Amino acid sequence: MACFQMDLLNEAETALCPASEPSAEVPNGAAGHYLIGLIYRYTDRRRSAVHHFKQALSVDPLFWAAYEELCVLGAAEEGNAIFGESASLYVQKLYSGHAVVSQSMLSSTENKISVSVRNLSPHDPSPRQVKNMHSNTLKDNSGSYHGTALSVGASGQFINGSSANMTFYSTPSPMTAQISAVAPPPIYRNMQANGPHPSLLGNDGSSRSTINTTMQAPRRKFVDEGKLRKISGKLFDSGPRRSTRLAGESGPNTGSSTASSTGNGTSHSSKYPGASKLGSVASRSATFRKGQARGSESTDEGVQQENYDDSHPSITTSSTSSLACDTKSLEEGILMTTGGIIMSESQAITGASDLITLLAILGEGYRLLCMYSCQDALDVYRRLPHKHYNTGWVLSQVGKAHFELVNYLEADHAFSQARLISPYSLEGMDVYSTVLFHLKEDMKLSYLAQELVSTDRLAPQAWCAMGNCYSLQKDHETALKNFQRAVQLNPRFVYAHTLCGHEYVALEDFGNGLKSYLSALRVDERHYNAWYGLGMIFLRQEKFAFAEHHFRKAFHINSRSSVIMSYLGTALHTLKRSDEALLMIEKAISADKKNPLPLYQKANILTSMERFVGALEVLEELKDYAPRESSVYALMGKIYKRCNMHDKAMLHFGLALDLKPSATDVATIKAAIEKLHVPDELEDTL
């Protein structure tokens, strides 16, 4: 993992699969296969990467990140095949048949609590004693059952092993709770057992019960911020003032959670798209060898700690009612957390079926979207229940699907809803900024860019949005700097390379544009936008054979894009393959009837084939879709001139000039007007 994060891929591969042990098993089960799959993917060994991602899924059928990678590589099976009957049986096997162990754990814990309460003196129930009683109960509980602990990892595997110091997992799952070797911490006083989890409440205290005796501890980090504050205080300050200490006690979680995670909860320390998932998935995947824990979560957001201070007036009490309340809260907490695993076999079957059905729908929708079957993906996502459809991730995928279908208004609506539901998620925001760019919504795009930068300045999506904002203002040099910043933050963020290429082309710097598109393809060879960009450069350089090759590559990846088919038809036409070009243009028209580009290309091809009547019919239809497009009227004027209908030709040339075309088009139209009465066979010699 350390080598992978530092981009030392060869060293990471050697650490996982030593050359001296070619037959050695990949360590850490599914997470190990996922990591070696990422290494193979980023070193251009696609077949090996696909093999290890499939191995990860065979070990753990619920390994979503591995399925995502297979979808990106275009090698994923249908969602129902992966998340099917075998996965359902896998979940049922894990979660059924453990009720006896859980019930015995619960009864033992209840007995220890009652004994501890009876032994505690009612005359001196200080909070420190309450805390010690709780900790002793937890220690006794974790060491019981002959040193055998029941543990659940992210991969969903129950493993019997030694009672290691495992953290308590609180992950979103159909199962209401999971069991670890350590019993849960005490529940807060005055908080209901079925109330909201403290870690899910806002910093403003909304929906939070009044808690006078405890304080919420900040998330645990790799570096203890408390120790750093103490050290820095000793070195640079004579001592903290009382007001500073009280302020620190009253709000320990204010602003501290943003230090270790970004707005969407993912770290940007790595340049690899899969690295942020790997950092959480691999550490959560509790795969064990010889009864010893190989890994556990490094951060435990769900576990809350109680901080007591005997000198604080609000927690110094002598009443026994507070002790009884704490004891009752602890019992309720144990019932709440351990009760989730006590289920009948029918409940396990029902829960597993619901979970697998949900994953199958999400997986199939994501696979279809990666294959650019966008309308099919939308149909699959619409099968989701309302509460699952209206989530930030799903709506972002819906927005991407509409973007690929060139339904920019629908994409804007979906992304806007995703922003309302998950305002700090950066998923798909780079695509959203491109949607606003095409809609020419400069105010919304500027606001989005500012919001993303304030959310996370180290996220490439934020700088892509900022670059699109400048590009819309025709400030291509500043836009390019912002896109280069995104590449600098994450060289594996493929869309940033492509956007750099677009800006270089706008500045007519075709050499650097080629380099940017090639860099994008080195990251992801299925990124059709880069193949399209290369085709456009070669088309403008009149290297038509190269243009046709690259447009063909883009078409094989995304065979439903009307724009790609239009330019592929244009390249075929320039290579004197007009019949093939017409067939491709017809496909483009049927793929998107609202796109005026293939209609114009069809009229051009028909004109070159001297099929003027058909060309004029197409152009008359095109006027309804693009009534203010000067090139349409200019082409009609050219056709009427070829038909010796000079009055109509002059009329349409004048209409084209009235629509204020570009300077180059103005010169071309004026030259055509000057040669209006010159025969076509003499026009080329003048």
Side-chain angles (χ1 to χ4, degrees):
M1 282 291 296
C3 293
F4 183 84
Q5 295 287 346
M6 292 188 295
D7 196 19
L8 303 174
L9 300 183
N10 291 331
E11 288 82 351
E13 182 181 355
T14 303
L16 276 173
C17 305
S20 58
E21 303 177 20
S23 60
E25 183 182 354
V26 176
N28 212 26
H33 284 289
Y34 176 72
L35 177 56
I36 195 68
L38 286 179
I39 293 171
Y40 285 147
R41 178 192 167 189
Y42 295 133
T43 51
D44 296 326
R45 288 176 282 179
R46 181 181 179 277
R47 183 175 299 178
S48 298
V50 169
H51 169 72
H52 281 281
F53 289 139
K54 289 183 176 180
Q55 284 293 107
L57 281 172
S58 67
V59 175
D60 181 3
L62 305 183
F63 207 132
W64 173 261
Y67 186 74
E68 274 188 322
E69 293 296 329
L70 286 173
C71 292
V72 171
L73 292 172
E77 300 179 31
E78 292 186 5
N80 292 327
I82 298 296
F83 306 107
E85 188 67 26
S86 60
S88 181
L89 293 174
Y90 173 82
V91 177
Q92 294 173 30
K93 186 177 179 182
L94 294 178
Y95 285 95
S96 62
H98 297 281
V100 176
V101 177
S102 301
Q103 287 172 347
S104 61
M105 184 184 295
L106 179 61
S107 61
S108 174
T109 306
E110 289 175 342
N111 292 335
K112 291 179 184 299
I113 292 172
S114 61
V115 171
S116 301
V117 172
R118 286 197 298 269
N119 292 338
L120 188 63
S121 173
H123 302 291
D124 189 20
S126 68
R128 190 174 298 279
Q129 287 178 324
V130 175
K131 179 183 177 183
N132 292 336
M133 180 198 72
H134 290 166
S135 62
N136 291 335
T137 302
L138 300 184
K139 290 177 183 177
D140 293 341
N141 186 44
S142 63
S144 60
Y145 311 111
H146 309 287
T148 301
L150 187 62
S151 174
V152 181
S155 61
Q157 297 175 348
F158 284 84
I159 298 126
N160 293 324
S162 61
S163 58
N165 184 20
M166 298 294 293
T167 55
F168 179 77
Y169 293 97
S170 178
T171 57
S173 170
M175 307 305 172
T176 58
Q178 296 176 341
I179 299 299
S180 77
V182 178
I187 304 300
Y188 289 116
R189 187 176 297 130
N190 297 331
M191 181 170 288
Q192 298 177 358
N194 59 351
H197 195 284
S199 64
L200 301 179
L201 300 176
N203 289 334
D204 58 351
S206 59
S207 302
R208 180 174 291 161
S209 303
T210 303
I211 304 172
N212 295 324
T213 61
T214 61
M215 294 185 297
Q216 180 179 344
R219 300 176 182 175
R220 268 189 285 164
K221 302 174 177 62
F222 293 103
V223 179
D224 192 340
E225 290 187 356
K227 292 181 180 178
L228 290 179
R229 290 197 196 98
K230 291 179 182 178
I231 294 171
S232 61
K234 292 177 182 178
L235 291 177
F236 305 110
D237 197 359
S238 58
R241 295 187 303 176
R242 186 174 186 276
S243 60
T244 306
R245 178 174 61 82
L246 292 178
E249 291 174 351
S250 62
N253 64 334
T254 304
S256 63
S257 62
T258 59
S260 63
S261 63
T262 63
N264 62 339
T266 59
S267 173
H268 297 282
S269 59
S270 172
K271 63 182 71 175
Y272 297 97
S276 59
K277 300 172 188 174
L278 186 68
S280 59
V281 173
S283 61
R284 284 190 325 223
S285 183
T287 306
F288 291 78
R289 224 176 238 191
K290 298 179 182 178
Q292 303 241 338
R294 297 277 310 189
S296 63
E297 281 212 49
S298 59
T299 58
D300 192 2
E301 297 180 339
V303 177
Q304 307 294 330
Q305 300 174 353
E306 289 192 344
N307 297 328
Y308 290 93
D309 187 352
D310 290 338
S311 63
H312 201 287
S314 65
I315 61 172
T316 303
T317 176
S318 59
S319 65
T320 57
S321 60
S322 109
L323 173 61
C325 182
D326 279 348
T327 306
K328 183 179 179 182
S329 299
L330 177 61
E331 293 174 353
E332 290 177 353
I334 294 172
L335 282 169
M336 179 177 63
T337 54
T338 60
I341 200 65
I342 300 174
M343 62 179 69
S344 65
E345 187 173 354
S346 62
Q347 289 175 317
I349 293 174
T350 303
S353 176
D354 293 343
L355 170 64
I356 297 305
T357 300
L358 176 62
L359 287 177
I361 295 174
L362 292 173
E364 182 63 10
Y366 189 75
R367 184 188 73 86
L368 290 171
L369 184 58
C370 290
M371 300 299 293
Y372 300 102
S373 299
C374 300
Q375 190 58 54
D376 295 335
L378 289 174
D379 294 338
V380 170
Y381 282 133
R382 290 191 186 104
R383 288 161 42 197
L384 286 169
H386 182 76
K387 62 181 179 181
H388 292 300
Y389 183 86
N390 288 295
T391 55
W393 187 85
V394 173
L395 288 173
S396 294
Q397 304 306 311
V398 170
K400 289 179 183 178
H402 283 299
F403 168 74
E404 296 293 345
L405 292 171
V406 204
N407 297 331
Y408 294 134
L409 291 176
E410 293 292 334
D412 181 17
H413 176 72
F415 280 121
S416 298
Q417 293 298 314
R419 289 279 296 163
L420 289 174
I421 294 171
S422 302
Y424 299 108
S425 173
L426 302 181
E427 172 71 31
M429 290 300 104
D430 50 327
V431 178
Y432 185 27
S433 67
T434 305
V435 170
L436 296 177
F437 172 87
H438 286 297
L439 292 174
K440 298 186 179 354
E441 294 277 2
D442 52 348
M443 293 289 290
K444 291 177 70 173
L445 180 55
S446 177
Y447 179 74
L448 175 67
Q450 293 290 340
E451 286 287 300
L452 295 180
V453 170
S454 64
T455 299
D456 187 1
R457 295 182 62 86
L458 300 180
Q461 295 94 331
W463 296 102
C464 286
M466 191 68 74
N468 275 328
C469 186
Y470 282 107
S471 183
L472 185 59
Q473 304 299 327
K474 306 300 182 184
D475 188 354
H476 298 295
E477 293 182 355
T478 307
L480 181 59
K481 291 178 181 178
N482 284 277
F483 294 140
Q484 288 172 337
R485 174 61 174 157
V487 171
Q488 182 186 30
L489 288 169
N490 188 353
R492 292 282 169 180
F493 194 74
V494 62
Y495 195 42
H497 290 282
T498 301
L499 291 173
C500 282
H502 293 340
E503 293 306 310
Y504 278 125
V505 171
L507 294 169
E508 297 191 354
D509 186 353
F510 298 133
N512 283 318
L514 284 171
K515 292 179 182 178
S516 294
Y517 291 135
L518 291 174
S519 297
L521 292 175
R522 277 193 291 270
V523 177
D524 182 7
E525 65 177 8
R526 294 191 71 252
H527 189 62
Y528 79 89
N529 311 72
W531 291 109
Y532 163 79
L534 289 171
M536 288 299 295
I537 289 178
F538 290 126
L539 191 64
R540 293 183 65 174
Q541 292 178 337
E542 298 185 357
K543 299 177 180 178
F544 302 123
F546 287 108
E548 188 264 338
H549 168 74
H550 288 87
F551 285 135
R552 182 84 62 184
K553 294 284 286 187
F555 175 69
H556 284 321
I557 297 169
N558 185 358
S559 59
R560 293 170 176 81
S561 172
S562 176
V563 176
I564 292 176
M565 287 187 275
S566 299
Y567 281 106
L568 178 56
T570 301
L572 290 170
H573 173 59
T574 55
L575 293 171
K576 310 300 182 183
R577 294 156 63 181
S578 298
D579 292 334
E580 291 182 57
L582 272 179
L583 289 175
M584 188 58 64
I585 292 296
E586 290 293 344
K587 286 184 180 179
I589 294 172
S590 61
D592 184 5
K593 298 185 182 300
K594 296 180 181 179
N595 185 7
L597 178 62
L599 288 172
Y600 181 76
Q601 301 288 9
K602 180 180 179 181
N604 253 327
I605 295 172
L606 291 174
T607 302
S608 67
M609 299 172 67
E610 298 186 352
R611 293 164 60 177
F612 300 126
V613 176
L616 286 172
E617 290 177 355
V618 173
L619 289 172
E620 288 292 340
E621 181 183 356
L622 183 57
K623 283 200 303 186
D624 297 333
Y625 291 107
R628 300 191 59 81
E629 184 59 49
S630 62
S631 57
V632 175
Y633 295 95
L635 182 57
M636 292 181 74
K638 183 179 177 181
I639 293 173
Y640 283 125
K641 177 180 179 274
R642 298 277 299 270
C643 295
N644 294 320
M645 302 171 67
H646 300 298
D647 293 339
K648 288 189 175 182
M650 189 64 192
L651 172 64
H652 286 84
F653 283 139
L655 290 173
L657 287 174
D658 291 341
L659 293 174
K660 297 180 180 180
S662 63
T664 305
D665 292 338
V666 167
T668 303
I669 294 171
K670 286 183 176 180
I673 292 174
E674 292 173 359
K675 300 175 184 178
L676 184 61
H677 297 284
V678 177
D680 295 334
E681 57 271 12
L682 298 178
E683 185 176 339
D684 296 334
T685 62
L686 295 178

